[in-house]
Amino acid sequence: MKALLKNIRDTYQAKAARRLLTRMGGETKGDANTQPLLILMYHRVLPEQDERLAFEEPGMYVTPETLSMQLKTLQPLVRFVDLGQWVKARREGRVLEGGETGDNRLCCAITFDDGWLDNYEFAMPVLREHGATATIFLATGFIGTGRTFWPEQLNRLLKLAAALGPDSRAKIGLEEFIASTGVKPDSTRYANKEYAAEVIAASKQFTDAQIYRFLDESFEHLTQDSELTLEQGAEMLDWHQVKTMAPTFDVGAHTVNHLRLNEAADPAAVDAELDGCIDAIQSHLGAVPSLFCYPNGDVSKHAREAVEQRFAAAVTTGNGINQAGDSLFALKRIGLHEDASNTPESFLAKLYRGASASGA
Ligand SMILES: [Zn+2]
């Protein structure tokens, strides 16, 4: 869309967002049973000049300045609440603390997925400055390790492969892999963010195990056949950092290996991913997590039942504002990223479009 049209649309939708958020807050009078809840979904918080951004998808981050602006923009319109406390109040059918004082602003909870180190470095200071708390959903198998998730690894491989000669085994393997996803291999675009996003989206037709097998082999070829350095600083949190993030961050579960819990996932593996994650959090932090986040938003029938047995509530990647009567195991969120929400107007417009998806 042309920039001017986008501006006009954003201005219009930002106004609509202010009206919508105010109306939804006013309807509830602090009653947890009927109280709608807006949940913001973030992943990474990285400054524009941070080198970690080179291997990241545009949809995965906001800058610290953008996060700060978003919280400041929302402050007059919403009441920041802790997701765990909101869920507890809803389950117990009581008024959420603070609601009885006549604060009629819409409840808003903040979430961060995965367990990125940058949440400690850049999100925590911003949240503390605004007096807000958040829930961080940990994929525990990555905490305190040098591992990252397959989309980041694939992104990294694409960028590195762009510099390789045509005979390199890693480059040939990558070309075959891309072709198998249905995307046209085009090595002139390997370093292009949009191309990487396209390949990552198309790769989701394969299982995580298949993708990791391909990546492990590719990185082995890469180190054997080239001088390229694979040196990479820590990207994920360690358990000590997680501990120091309390009470700004409450910890929720996000599986061990970030397995997508779709119908292709083996039910026994799903159970192991949930139990392993709960055990790791309990052994490191001494508390059992009550909240869960479905990796990639995927959830099979078995996964849904398994999650309901183990947790008090779960968040999805589905858009919308949660209303009375909505299931606590399919809580909707509105995802925010730098490209689409780095001004107050575009941010509010994004919230409006996200909220409209649920018919709010
Ligand atoms: Zn995730």
Side-chain angles (χ1 to χ4, degrees), residues 113-114 254 258:
D113 290 10
D114 303 334
H254 197 35
H258 207 262

Side-chain angles (χ1 to χ4, degrees), residues 25-36:
E27 276 169 6
T28 65
K29 312 222 167 22
D31 178 356
N33 284 306
T34 55
Q35 201 162 40

Side-chain angles (χ1 to χ4, degrees), residues 15 47 163 177 186 207 228 252 332:
K15 274 192 194 131
F177 177 80
D186 180 357
T207 66
L228 285 174
K332 289 166 274 197

Side-chain angles (χ1 to χ4, degrees), residues 43 60 113-116 137 139 149 254 258 293-297 333:
H43 289 84
M60 281 288 288
D113 290 10
D114 303 334
W116 297 97
F137 294 103
F149 306 97
H254 197 35
H258 207 262
C293 172
Y294 304 104
N296 198 47
R333 297 187 291 174

Side-chain angles (χ1 to χ4, degrees), residues 265-287:
D266 174 44
V270 170
D271 293 351
E273 285 285 332
L274 301 180
D275 292 332
C277 182
I278 293 170
D279 288 350
I281 291 172
Q282 188 177 17
S283 74
H284 287 280
L285 305 177

